[in-house]
Amino acid sequence: MRLLIVFFALGIASCQLQANLQPWLFCLGSAAALVGVAMVLPRKPLRVATLWLAMALFGFAYANWRAELRLADRLAEHLEGQDLQLRGRIVGLPQVFERGLRFRLETQQAPAGVPATLMLSWYAQGKGELRQMPPAVHAGETWQFTLRLRQPHASLNPHGFDYEGWLFEQGIGATGYVRSGPGNQRLEDSGGGLMARVDRWREQIRSRFERALPDAAGRGVLVALAVGDQAGIPSAQWELFRMTGLTHAVSISGLHVTLIGALAGWLASWLWRRSPRLMLCLPAQKLAILVAALAAGTYVLLAGCGVPAQRTFYMLAVAALALWSKRAAGASRVMAAALLLVLLIDPWAVLSAGFWLSFGAVAALLLVACQQSAAGRASWRRLVPDWLRAQWAVSVLSLPLLLGLFQQFSLISPLTNALAIPLISMLITPLALSFAVLPLPSLAEFAHWLLEGLLAFLAWCAASPLALWQQAAPPLWLVAVCALAALWALLPRGVPGRAVGLLSFAPLLLWAPLRPAPGELDVNVLDVGQGLAVHLRTAQHDVLFDAGPQYGPEVDAGERIVLPWLRAVGARKLDLLVVSHDDADHSGGADSVLAAASPAEWRSSLAPGHALLGFFSPHQACRQGEAWEWDGVHFEFLHPAEGFSGKDNERSCVLRVRSAQGSVLLTGDIPAAVESRLLQEQAEALASEILIVPHHGSRSSSTPEFIRATAARHAVFTAGYRNRYGHPAPDVLARYVQAGASIHRSDADGALLFRLRAGGIEVDPFRQTHARYWHDRTY
């Protein structure tokens, strides 16, 4: 039965790798036919194998059916960009950010074609001291809004976070924002069913923490442990938890749910045993099982029903049912039942990194627990060795998963986990939950005092230069092989080849992707939205031209897109960073890149006194005529000339990179006047096979004369989806088409990867070559 569930899960996972859905009825019929064939096969091995295949097809058909239903609940294309008036209820916890509010809306009365769940922003009006925040919205309230919506669409890059996939998994069929006007009004203060009441309760608890700890640095962590809302944790603390391997410990994970259930069950049993009459009505053991399950379920509801918490609750529920009925339930059976329940309820859980890490951690702990039970009865003397052994097992099995998912793992995580997990799970979390039930500020203050001490210890650990291992992204097959090898290494003593399992980590840890050969060039145009970030790669050198935009006060493309990309392709250190000019969509991520990628040098056209110049060096200004060669590839700045003065866009650095197979011209945001200057001074240097189109395709650039001079075979437009500037302009697009250039758009193609090789130029438009069925393909 357990293997049947595993194959059912494999069928569901295979569905999520498709670019297009398959007819689920045909798949279901095929699975049923296979079951019929299995019943008449004479040999048991063939019969069993056929049933496994049938279960995989059942899972594949089920996932396709669920996906088809969810895709049907997406915003109709003709409603994009239209002002729509509708009515709906606030669900989940609204989030406040610097520019306004962000919340989910469950529609009640809406035009046909509007999906059931929306992700909305309500922006503040005005700037500076005159900025006026929108009115507060609260969970469970019913509002009438005037909205402007669009289909789910986001930047799409190799090894990057798939925000469109996350929206799809969450059941969000459109994103958008509230239009200012008198049509926005609250209609009802409260309402809804159980989850609406739970969300209001969660919001009240969050507000209670805000009042008790108004300026506390660790308040966001306590709120996350109490109600699962992680939005209040600063990015600096996330970075600290990442470096010390503790991101799972500040989420409501399986360990927290299990401990809360066990504590509630023990307390109920202790009180119940005080009354002989109650003992006669119901044995204390059964009461403890019931209370533990109810407490765990309540905590999961309070946490917002995250995947790790759900998984733990389902496992506890299966185990509790077996114990209640006095039937033995092996750990592997409980885990298989939990896997089945999770995927039946949420077949897209396999898209979540937490799904794989949580089930991997449970598998490691089960292996250790089985060995400990076989070794004999537990004792206090064995408590510390057993705990360390469990930490070792989780670290070993998590290592290939972490490298495959995030290309990094914390070398000090065994130490930090050994101290932090007991402190967080047994003291800080119970105190935070006690404060959620009993509004005594001293409980929150004590929990925060403990947390402050823990954060100081983690900061000391993270200061070590050996705290974090980072490397290039290994291929999926290598991750799978090493995960199986890790499982083998954790098997009991006496199993042959256990040490070989650990030796298999060597190719994983030493993995490095192939670089271009001398004289060849890779041009990677990252999808950063409305902005620019281009990674140029030769045999031994890495150059980044621009670092993308800044998305918010603490979030920019450098941190979110560029650095993960550089880490995944094995670019440990940049040889050169070029910041073309002082415009937020080109320089917004430079701060993060300069701090983390440590470029050997960098160039820009930034004015003297710019903030970036005061913190990072060595820096030089871009200068026309400066040229050099790396690995048989020629680099040359064509603009600006020394002493040139003009506006920011006019001072954009223009870089031409030429290899034996072709060249690329990177132009920043130069306007028509600079194009004319280049045509007059060095028209022969403009010809290029690949052109990063000036100013994202604005009408202020790309004159017919400039297009003819470049004679580009590939014209690349880097623009945000449905951006407010209308880039690229239709008439500019038409000019490049008429000139015979192949058109590439980051908003339609995602990241664009050009490989200049001896056989020609290879193009990989990531949104097309690595499409999934939930990805937007509007263009």
Side-chain angles (χ1 to χ4, degrees):
M1 186 64 183
R2 284 164 289 186
L3 279 175
L4 290 177
I5 292 175
V6 168
F7 275 90
F8 181 81
L10 289 175
I12 287 179
S14 64
C15 173
Q16 314 309 338
L17 300 177
Q18 299 180 106
N20 297 288
L21 293 176
Q22 304 302 316
W24 64 271
L25 275 174
F26 174 77
C27 299
L28 186 64
S30 300
L34 281 176
V35 172
V37 170
M39 295 300 101
V40 298
L41 287 174
R43 296 185 178 181
K44 185 176 180 181
L46 283 176
R47 190 162 59 247
V48 170
T50 305
L51 285 175
W52 288 347
L53 181 58
M55 282 302 293
L57 267 176
F58 275 125
F60 187 75
Y62 175 74
N64 274 270
W65 171 62
R66 290 288 303 275
E68 189 176 297
L69 294 178
R70 183 155 290 186
L71 279 179
D73 187 36
R74 273 197 167 181
L75 181 71
E77 188 176 337
H78 70 276
L79 296 179
E80 280 196 299
Q82 305 294 321
D83 283 351
L84 305 172
Q85 191 170 72
L86 52 83
R87 171 179 173 170
R89 176 170 288 118
I90 310 296
V91 295
L93 299 184
Q95 305 294 337
V96 179
F97 65 105
E98 186 194 28
R99 294 183 295 158
L101 305 172
R102 186 172 291 116
F103 55 92
R104 297 189 192 188
L105 188 76
E106 189 178 84
T107 58
Q108 295 174 330
Q109 295 179 5
V114 174
T117 306
L118 311 174
M119 175 73 81
L120 302 173
S121 297
W122 195 349
Y123 295 107
Q125 300 297 311
K127 295 182 178 180
E129 296 180 357
L130 299 178
R131 172 175 292 181
Q132 183 178 359
M133 291 290 287
V137 299
H138 300 286
E141 293 180 342
T142 300
W143 279 76
Q144 177 179 287
F145 289 120
T146 301
L147 305 176
R148 187 164 288 185
L149 302 175
R150 70 178 193 179
Q151 294 182 342
H153 189 103
S155 298
L156 197 60
N157 295 279
H159 311 292
F161 178 63
D162 187 354
Y163 185 62
E164 289 181 41
W166 181 84
L167 290 173
F168 184 76
E169 181 191 354
Q170 299 294 311
I172 297 169
T175 62
Y177 61 94
V178 179
R179 297 277 283 169
S180 59
N184 305 316
Q185 53 183 315
R186 183 185 290 109
L187 302 178
E188 186 180 344
D189 289 338
S190 61
L194 172 63
M195 285 310 300
R197 296 190 186 94
V198 171
D199 286 338
R200 286 195 292 273
W201 182 32
R202 296 173 66 209
E203 189 175 8
Q204 291 168 4
I205 293 171
R206 184 178 67 178
S207 299
R208 187 181 299 169
F209 274 100
E210 291 171 352
R211 291 191 299 270
L213 304 169
D215 301 315
R219 185 186 68 201
V221 176
L222 296 180
V223 172
L225 292 172
V227 298
D229 178 20
Q230 300 176 351
I233 301 179
S235 58
Q237 288 183 2
W238 277 123
E239 178 69 11
L240 180 62
F241 295 137
R242 181 181 65 85
M243 294 188 68
T244 54
L246 282 172
T247 53
H248 65 96
V250 295
S251 306
I252 297 182
S253 64
L255 179 61
H256 298 148
V257 175
T258 303
L259 286 175
I260 293 301
L263 180 61
W266 172 83
L267 182 60
S269 175
W270 183 82
L271 293 173
W272 198 258
R273 292 174 190 273
R274 307 281 75 79
S275 171
R277 181 178 299 178
L278 293 176
M279 288 282 291
L280 290 173
C281 296
L282 182 69
Q285 295 91 336
K286 284 196 171 185
L287 177 77
I289 294 168
L290 180 62
V291 172
L294 290 175
T298 302
Y299 189 32
V300 170
L301 279 175
L302 190 62
C305 297
V307 170
Q310 283 186 50
R311 180 262 307 165
T312 304
F313 175 69
Y314 298 146
M315 293 181 72
L316 289 175
V318 172
L321 184 62
L323 290 171
W324 183 278
S325 60
K326 297 183 180 180
R327 293 187 178 184
S332 61
R333 288 187 175 89
V334 172
M335 188 173 176
L339 175 66
L340 179 63
L341 279 173
V342 168
L343 294 180
L344 284 175
I345 294 171
D346 180 13
W348 303 283
V350 294
L351 301 175
S352 166
F355 171 86
W356 298 100
L357 291 172
S358 59
F359 271 95
V362 170
L365 292 174
L366 288 178
L367 285 173
V368 172
C370 290
Q371 296 175 41
Q372 291 172 354
S373 61
R377 189 173 180 178
S379 67
W380 286 103
R381 292 181 180 180
R382 295 180 55 86
L383 183 61
V384 173
D386 288 347
W387 173 251
L388 293 177
R389 193 174 294 111
Q391 287 300 311
W392 162 253
V394 171
S395 299
V396 167
L397 192 53
S398 297
L399 189 148
L401 299 176
L402 289 170
L403 287 181
L405 293 166
F406 306 113
Q407 299 83 57
Q408 58 186 8
F409 70 91
S410 174
L411 294 171
I412 57 174
S413 63
L415 170 64
T416 55
N417 276 268
L419 174 68
I421 287 180
L423 182 61
I424 292 175
S425 298
M426 298 180 182
L427 288 175
I428 295 176
T429 299
L431 284 168
L433 288 174
S434 298
F435 178 66
V437 178
L438 302 171
L440 300 175
S442 56
L443 294 173
E445 291 167 0
F446 184 42
H448 188 266
W449 179 76
L450 292 173
L451 181 62
E452 279 186 317
L454 176 62
L455 291 174
F457 170 72
L458 296 180
W460 177 78
C461 292
S464 169
L466 302 176
L468 195 66
W469 176 279
Q470 301 187 71
Q471 67 170 72
L476 180 60
W477 65 265
L478 183 56
V479 173
V481 168
C482 288
L484 292 175
L487 280 172
W488 189 266
L490 295 176
L491 292 176
R493 292 180 181 177
V495 174
R498 290 171 67 239
V500 177
L502 292 179
L503 290 176
S504 69
F505 281 7
L508 180 72
L509 297 173
L510 299 175
W511 172 264
L514 292 175
R515 298 186 67 98
E520 295 181 343
L521 175 67
D522 283 353
V523 181
N524 305 303
V525 184
L526 302 182
D527 181 10
V528 294
Q530 184 69 17
L532 182 65
V534 181
H535 176 216
L536 304 164
R537 202 167 201 214
T538 68
Q540 297 182 22
H541 292 80
D542 292 277
V543 178
L544 181 69
F545 188 92
D546 283 337
Q550 186 171 21
Y551 302 128
E554 294 187 346
V555 183
D556 57 63
E559 176 189 6
R560 182 161 290 182
I561 296 175
V562 176
L563 290 174
W565 161 262
L566 294 176
R567 182 171 61 244
V569 298
R572 295 179 177 270
K573 185 175 181 179
L574 287 173
D575 296 284
L576 174 65
L577 168 66
V578 179
V579 178
S580 64
H581 63 296
D582 187 14
D583 198 339
D585 57 352
H586 294 252
S587 62
D591 199 332
S592 298
V593 173
L594 284 164
S598 303
E601 54 183 323
W602 67 293
R603 303 279 193 276
S604 78
S605 64
L606 301 178
H610 192 281
L612 287 175
L613 301 178
F615 293 97
F616 304 101
S617 61
H619 169 267
Q620 294 182 28
C622 301
R623 286 292 177 262
Q624 177 182 321
E626 182 184 2
W628 67 98
E629 188 171 298
W630 279 336
D631 310 318
V633 178
H634 185 76
F635 295 77
E636 182 181 4
F637 282 112
L638 304 184
H639 182 77
E642 188 170 358
F644 178 84
S645 61
K647 297 180 181 179
D648 288 333
N649 285 357
E650 295 171 337
R651 295 202 307 270
S652 291
C653 303
V654 177
L655 178 66
R656 188 179 188 230
V657 185
R658 187 176 73 253
S659 72
Q661 295 76 35
S663 60
V664 56
L665 186 64
L666 301 108
T667 58
D669 280 351
I670 59 171
V674 174
E675 292 178 353
S676 177
R677 182 186 180 102
L678 289 170
L679 288 169
Q680 293 173 8
E681 297 178 354
Q682 41 192 330
E684 70 285 350
L686 297 178
S688 299
E689 279 68 27
I690 302 170
L691 171 65
I692 310 300
V693 174
H695 204 176
H696 320 291
S698 165
R699 285 191 176 90
S700 64
S701 306
S702 296
T703 61
E705 296 79 13
F706 181 79
I707 294 174
R708 281 196 298 270
T710 57
R713 291 168 49 195
H714 300 276
V716 181
F717 296 84
T718 58
Y721 177 71
R722 298 183 66 87
N723 63 87
R724 60 193 177 109
Y725 308 104
H727 297 161
D731 52 338
V732 173
L733 270 173
R735 288 178 209 160
Y736 283 98
V737 172
Q738 290 170 4
S742 297
I743 303 300
H744 307 278
R745 300 175 51 159
S746 61
D747 55 351
D749 299 320
L752 289 151
L753 315 178
F754 295 89
R755 298 177 181 88
L756 283 67
R757 300 292 187 265
I761 299 178
E762 305 169 7
V763 187
D764 180 1
F766 191 73
R767 187 176 286 271
Q768 275 70 50
T769 58
H770 295 76
R772 297 292 181 262
Y773 65 84
W774 59 80
H775 286 156
D776 180 34
R777 301 174 209 176
T778 302
Y779 295 102

